[in-house]
Amino acid sequence: MRHFLLFLLTISSFGAIAQTKYTLSGYVTDASNGESVIGAKVYIDSIRKGAITNNYGFFSLTVPSGTYSVQFRATGLPTEKKIINLTKDVQLDIELGSNEQQIEEVTVSATAEENTKSTKIGQIDLNIDEIKTLPAFMGEVDIIKTIQLLPGVSSAAEGGQGFYVRGGGPDQNLVLLDEATVYNAAHLFGFFSVFNADAVKGVNLIKGGMPANFGGRMSSVLEVTMNEGNNKRLGVKGGIGAISSRITVEGPLKKDKGSFVVSARRTYIDLIMKAAIPDSSPFAGSSYFFYDLNLKMNYRLGKKDKLFLSGYYGKDEFSFGNKEDDFAVRMPWGNGIAALRWNHLFSNKLFMNVTGTFTDYLFSFGSEQDEFKFELKSGIRDWGGKVDFTYFPNSRHKIKWGVDYTYHTFTPTSVSASQEDIVFDTGLAQNLKSHESAAYVLDEFDLTENVRINAGLRYSTFQHVGPFTRYIKGDISTPDSTVEYGKGDLIKFYHGLEPRLSMRWLLKDRSSIKAGYSYNYQYVHLTSLSAVSLPTDIWFPTTNLAKPQQGWQGSLGYFRNFAKNRYETSVEIYYKGMNNLIEYKEGALPSDNVNDNTDNLLTFGRGWSYGAEFFVKRTYGKITGWVGYTWSKTERVFEDLNEGNPFPAKYDRRHDASVVVSYKPNKRWVFSSAFIYATGNTLTLPSSWYVQDQDLLFNYGQRNSTRMAPYHRLDLSATWYSKAYKEKEDPETGEIIQVKKRFKSNWAFSIYNVYNRANPYFLYVDNDGDFLEGNLEIAVKQVTLFPIIPSVTWNFEF
């Protein structure tokens, strides 16, 4: 580690050599609504220097004094050119697309060159407008299902919401909504995501080369940024679909200074079920629905200060009843998230962001039968804060540093049970408290014209504190015992350094070679007994028994653009090592947590994953889309599982391919298709059976030794848009011009699983007949969820 620090300090000194005089800085916004433009490129072609706007639309570009033609480019917006005389520092705010008349279609992607020129390896930015044109399951545009179409990212199962990145588990993905952590990103048992596309502005996925400002997870970062709202005028948009409807209202708090956006969505599956199930049915009263609400406000206090307030609340409600058996189940779960941020500009080179966050996730399961009531709750609540600084010494150098802190309260299980007036002793609810903190620094600079380096170091700490009761399980000669820790008592302290490094070597033919290395500590765990990600999974912290997960990843890639940046291509290989992974012990059940600690039921092991990813993307033109393919292998080894032998992870997939194509023949129609092929998931099935005392029993084979049939599916969609412009006479010239219409709408038609593929959701063993009569038949049967499903959605905006 000492050598790494010396290397970082030595090479970063080279970035300070460039002679600079004056700085051009400011914010880039969309003229139509005042929203900041993320990832806009500010570029001076004559000296081949440029800058990229950050997540708040801010840029800083320091170059030698002179007069320059500066281009401001952003995907989907017209390019703006300004002649700027830099004889002093200049602060300039730019609005892109200020002309209300119809403009020519933008044919240049502002980010295409970043495929080869940036140090980003294993990172992909997704355009939300592009996502909305892709085929949608039951008409619901889904961000997470879209990222599952990318190489290196795979889904949990048919319709499942959990996603796996380069062999990591679903808990190893850091999902952020406006910098606040999302612990469960799923609705409807994982079939829809919590992200309402109408409220989303940008999506960034980091699956390799994680920079030092991110931590706490080993596999990936999914950044979702919410819309800020229109600070020009009041607007409404929404949609009515097959199973849900949504509406978004946005407008100025004060014109050109502040804005708000409120977005709501609700399903009406419960109304459909109520109409379909008669009152005389024993299942009357069974229901399911979900809803979510997004809120965001921002206000510019001055040229140097801006405030943001973001909020999200979503909830699922599932209930099932059987009057004949006097049985009822109720299962609610949901997320509550809030983030308050303050941007401050100390100078034209120093940018600061201060963030306070709150996250609350709660799952509950309740059942009732014959006066017996049972309830189980699980959840996690976080309070957090962070401060980030970004300094731009010159056009070839950027430095970031900061600190963050989170106070966790975990409730792995809280159980209560009663029958009539009798309350059963189920022990005290587990509430595990901990402090997680980190400090980081990263330095991105050009070592030469062709070599760019992003080097960083993160130091993280974790403290498990009381109050806490440690249950110590005895054996034949030793009784069970407990150890009590008081409020604030330190139970266990962990800490570690996390070096990060990514490099880019630019070649002459619009291509580059990139390499990345990252080392991560992860202090939270997700325990699961199911083969797919469900809300019943339990979040659990690092303790004195459950050590923090540790992982490292190395990656190497070749990136090249073709046909004047119309095509982006890449090939990446990676290897990932993981330690202190967790699984339930053989035969363990979550109900065993009563008067016990969850980590007493766990076993610990390690894993590894390696693979190659191929990606080809056409970025603009009438036909756009991408082709992705991943070859990978993911294995685990636990001393107490599978006799200590390595076994494939349940989400190990040897082949994973996707083809996504969008065709826009004119301004009124967009046709899209998505084809997916993946090796089937693994599972454990019996290898033989026998009869003992007239009971049918099974011997199970090696862990995850059975593989389901391959998964493949084709989805199609067509979107028809109303006319966006109308003709109007110019009062000054008398000419007929075209101006934007206030009311716009579109119809989105989609077909899910076009050729009606019966993809496996899970397999189970079924038997029929009787062994004593000699007619016993045992078969493995497959459960399939979704046949071909057409849907239509009407979207509107005014």
Side-chain angles (χ1 to χ4, degrees):
M1 192 59 62
R2 183 175 58 197
H3 297 295
F4 177 84
L5 288 171
L6 180 60
F7 172 69
L8 189 155
L9 293 172
T10 302
I11 58 179
S12 65
S13 64
F14 286 96
I17 295 176
Q19 297 177 357
T20 57
K21 293 267 181 95
Y22 298 112
T23 300
L24 172 65
S25 63
Y27 292 86
V28 179
T29 57
D30 186 334
S32 65
N33 52 31
E35 292 235 10
S36 60
V37 179
I38 302 172
K41 188 167 187 178
V42 182
Y43 190 69
I44 302 176
D45 188 60
S46 60
I47 58 174
R48 301 179 67 182
K49 302 296 180 186
I52 302 293
T53 58
N54 66 9
N55 283 352
Y56 303 96
F58 176 77
F59 70 92
S60 178
L61 177 61
T62 302
V63 295
S65 61
T67 300
Y68 300 103
S69 174
V70 185
Q71 297 181 14
F72 299 86
R73 306 200 305 249
T75 303
L77 292 171
T79 297
E80 186 85 17
K81 293 183 180 180
K82 294 284 186 182
I83 303 299
I84 299 175
N85 185 18
L86 275 180
T87 57
K88 60 179 181 179
D89 290 340
V90 175
Q91 184 171 349
L92 179 66
D93 295 338
I94 292 292
E95 289 189 333
L96 296 181
S98 57
N99 189 355
E100 285 296 315
Q101 297 185 21
Q102 184 175 3
I103 60 173
E104 292 297 319
E105 181 182 0
V106 179
T107 58
V108 177
S109 171
T111 59
E113 293 181 352
E114 294 301 303
N115 179 55
T116 58
K117 291 187 175 181
S118 75
T119 57
K120 295 179 180 179
I121 181 169
Q123 296 193 34
I124 298 177
D125 292 308
L126 292 175
N127 185 296
I128 191 64
D129 292 329
E130 182 181 13
I131 293 174
K132 289 181 178 180
T133 65
L134 299 180
F137 175 64
M138 293 188 179
E140 279 294 313
V141 176
D142 198 312
I143 289 170
I144 292 185
K145 281 186 172 56
T146 301
I147 70 169
Q148 291 170 356
L149 298 172
L150 300 172
V153 185
S154 59
S155 63
E158 168 76 79
Q161 192 59 58
F163 65 99
Y164 306 96
V165 178
R166 291 184 171 178
D171 61 320
Q172 295 175 4
N173 304 313
L174 178 62
V175 182
L176 300 174
L177 179 63
D178 274 359
E179 301 193 42
T181 303
V182 180
Y183 282 98
N184 187 309
H187 283 308
L188 188 57
F189 299 99
F191 298 119
F192 299 106
S193 79
V194 299
F195 303 116
N196 182 349
D198 284 349
V200 172
K201 177 180 182 178
V203 180
N204 179 41
L205 174 68
I206 304 173
K207 55 183 179 175
M210 188 184 299
N213 54 308
F214 294 109
R217 301 294 188 276
M218 291 201 303
S219 286
S220 74
V221 179
L222 179 64
E223 282 188 288
V224 180
T225 305
M226 288 173 55
N227 284 323
E228 298 171 5
N230 195 321
N231 67 16
K232 306 290 185 180
R233 62 175 180 83
L234 185 68
V236 179
K237 61 183 176 181
I240 300 174
I243 64 168
S244 69
S245 292
R246 63 191 189 282
I247 188 168
T248 299
V249 181
E250 58 183 343
L253 295 171
K254 186 176 182 180
K255 190 172 182 180
D256 295 326
K257 290 198 70 175
S259 61
F260 73 91
V261 58
V262 179
S263 188
R265 176 176 59 163
R266 191 192 191 279
T267 61
Y268 21 81
I269 302 174
D270 55 327
L271 303 179
I272 298 173
M273 293 177 66
K274 185 176 181 180
I277 303 175
D279 293 338
S280 58
S281 170
F283 304 108
S286 298
S287 172
Y288 172 81
F289 67 91
F290 74 76
Y291 64 87
D292 47 35
L293 178 69
N294 294 80
L295 167 68
K296 188 170 183 178
M297 295 185 290
N298 72 89
Y299 195 82
R300 185 178 292 278
L301 302 176
K303 290 185 177 181
K304 295 185 176 182
D305 297 277
K306 194 171 185 179
L307 290 176
F308 298 84
L309 176 63
S310 306
Y312 168 85
Y313 183 76
K315 192 173 184 180
D316 290 66
E317 283 276 358
F318 170 77
S319 60
F320 173 80
N322 188 326
K323 294 180 181 179
E324 292 181 352
D325 296 333
D326 192 23
F327 176 73
V329 170
R330 181 174 177 267
M331 191 186 305
W333 72 92
N335 294 282
I337 296 169
L340 178 63
R341 290 173 290 172
W342 167 44
N343 293 169
H344 178 70
L345 195 60
F346 286 98
S347 68
N348 53 17
K349 294 185 178 183
L350 183 58
F351 181 89
M352 180 190 72
N353 181 60
V354 179
T355 305
T357 60
F358 169 78
T359 297
D360 186 47
Y361 169 67
L362 180 65
F363 165 79
S364 177
F365 172 86
S367 65
E368 184 175 351
Q369 185 174 25
D370 298 331
E371 304 298 329
F372 177 79
K373 297 180 180 179
F374 174 84
E375 185 175 26
L376 182 147
K377 292 182 179 180
S378 176
I380 179 172
R381 175 174 291 181
D382 288 351
W383 294 90
K386 59 186 297 188
V387 183
D388 299 285
F389 294 89
T390 308
Y391 180 60
F392 306 88
N394 55 59
S395 61
R396 300 174 58 177
H397 196 182
K398 181 177 72 173
I399 304 172
K400 292 188 70 172
W401 69 94
V403 296
D404 61 64
Y405 165 79
T406 304
Y407 176 64
H408 300 286
T409 302
F410 294 83
T411 307
T413 52
S414 173
V415 180
S416 63
S418 64
Q419 186 165 8
E420 295 182 341
D421 296 331
I422 302 173
V423 178
F424 298 97
D425 180 15
T426 56
L428 298 175
Q430 297 183 43
N431 284 302
L432 287 76
K433 302 182 184 298
S434 55
H435 305 276
E436 183 177 354
S437 60
Y440 75 90
V441 60
L442 69 84
D443 193 351
E444 182 173 84
F445 56 91
D446 290 345
L447 187 62
T448 67
E449 287 294 331
N450 295 327
V451 178
R452 178 175 294 176
I453 295 174
N454 186 316
L457 187 64
R458 184 180 183 90
Y459 174 69
S460 61
T461 70
F462 187 87
Q463 302 174 64
H464 179 205
V465 297
F468 178 66
T469 300
R470 164 58 67 192
Y471 293 90
I472 301 174
K473 311 306 290 184
D475 51 29
I476 297 177
S477 60
T478 307
D480 294 350
S481 61
T482 60
V483 177
E484 298 289 341
Y485 295 91
K487 182 178 180 181
D489 289 351
L490 179 62
I491 301 169
K492 190 66 177 180
F493 174 74
Y494 296 96
H495 67 107
L497 290 173
E498 305 176 31
R500 315 285 174 82
L501 179 66
S502 58
M503 307 174 66
R504 179 226 66 196
W505 179 23
L506 192 62
L507 305 178
K508 293 181 179 180
D509 53 352
R510 285 200 180 98
S511 64
S512 63
I513 296 174
K514 301 181 185 181
Y517 173 84
S518 61
Y519 191 92
N520 299 68
Y521 281 83
Q522 178 171 325
Y523 300 102
V524 298
H525 311 269
L526 187 66
T527 59
S528 175
L529 286 173
S530 64
V532 295
S533 181
L534 294 173
T536 52
D537 297 345
I538 295 173
W539 286 97
F540 192 77
T542 289
T543 64
N544 57 339
L545 292 186
K547 296 180 180 179
Q549 299 181 56
Q550 300 175 39
W552 67 272
Q553 181 181 172
S555 54
L556 179 67
Y558 175 72
F559 298 75
R560 182 169 180 174
N561 289 2
F562 293 92
K564 296 182 179 180
N565 295 320
R566 286 181 173 85
Y567 293 90
E568 302 175 20
T569 66
S570 64
V571 178
E572 294 184 51
I573 57 175
Y574 67 88
Y575 185 92
K576 179 188 293 184
M578 296 163 281
N579 294 317
N580 300 330
L581 302 178
I582 66 170
E583 292 278 0
Y584 274 112
K585 295 178 180 177
E586 296 285 4
L589 295 172
S591 57
D592 297 336
N593 283 325
V594 176
N595 284 322
D596 202 351
N597 304 122
T598 300
D599 52 3
N600 284 332
L601 309 176
L602 303 177
T603 183
F604 309 97
R606 58 188 177 89
W608 52 89
S609 178
Y610 52 89
E613 300 170 359
F614 303 84
F615 191 56
V616 179
K617 182 179 182 181
R618 181 178 168 89
T619 55
Y620 53 85
K622 287 189 175 182
I623 298 178
T624 59
W626 67 81
V627 177
Y629 170 75
T630 304
W631 183 96
S632 62
K633 189 172 185 178
T634 304
E635 292 186 309
R636 303 284 187 264
V637 60
F638 287 75
E639 185 178 347
D640 297 331
L641 300 178
N642 204 46
E643 299 179 343
N645 298 316
F647 57 89
K650 61 186 177 183
Y651 32 83
D652 170 59
R653 287 182 175 176
R654 197 70 66 248
H655 306 283
D656 206 325
S658 62
V659 180
V660 178
V661 179
S662 291
Y663 173 55
K664 188 177 183 180
N666 52 53
K667 296 178 181 179
R668 302 288 299 277
W669 282 98
V670 175
F671 300 94
S672 298
S673 65
F675 174 76
I676 304 167
Y677 176 89
T679 302
N681 283 351
T682 63
L683 76 162
T684 307
L685 288 178
S687 57
S688 61
W689 58 271
Y690 60 97
V691 175
Q692 180 176 317
D693 297 331
Q694 298 187 1
D695 291 328
L696 181 64
L697 303 176
F698 295 99
N699 290 317
Y700 283 84
Q702 293 287 304
R703 191 178 183 91
N704 293 341
S705 58
T706 302
R707 195 172 289 275
M708 297 184 190
Y711 179 98
H712 52 87
R713 191 187 77 237
L714 173 66
D715 303 333
L716 298 175
S717 71
T719 306
W720 176 87
Y721 296 88
S722 63
K723 289 184 177 180
Y725 294 87
K726 62 182 179 180
E727 293 185 345
K728 182 179 180 180
E729 182 178 336
D730 191 322
E732 296 182 0
T733 65
E735 296 180 354
I736 300 299
I737 60 175
Q738 290 186 317
V739 296
K740 288 183 178 180
K741 294 173 66 175
R742 184 68 185 269
F743 183 86
K744 294 179 289 185
S745 66
N746 68 72
W747 287 90
F749 308 91
S750 66
I751 302 177
Y752 181 89
N753 196 4
V754 171
Y755 52 84
N756 200 31
R757 162 72 174 175
N759 284 305
Y761 184 57
F762 64 84
L763 305 179
Y764 69 97
V765 177
D766 188 31
N767 64 86
D768 190 22
D770 188 273
F771 173 76
L772 297 178
E773 295 179 3
N775 60 358
L776 177 64
E777 295 183 358
I778 299 177
V780 176
K781 295 187 177 181
Q782 173 181 301
V783 174
T784 297
L785 290 182
F786 302 118
I788 180 173
I789 301 177
S791 63
V792 59
T793 303
W794 179 62
N795 301 299
F796 59 87
E797 181 178 355
F798 59 88

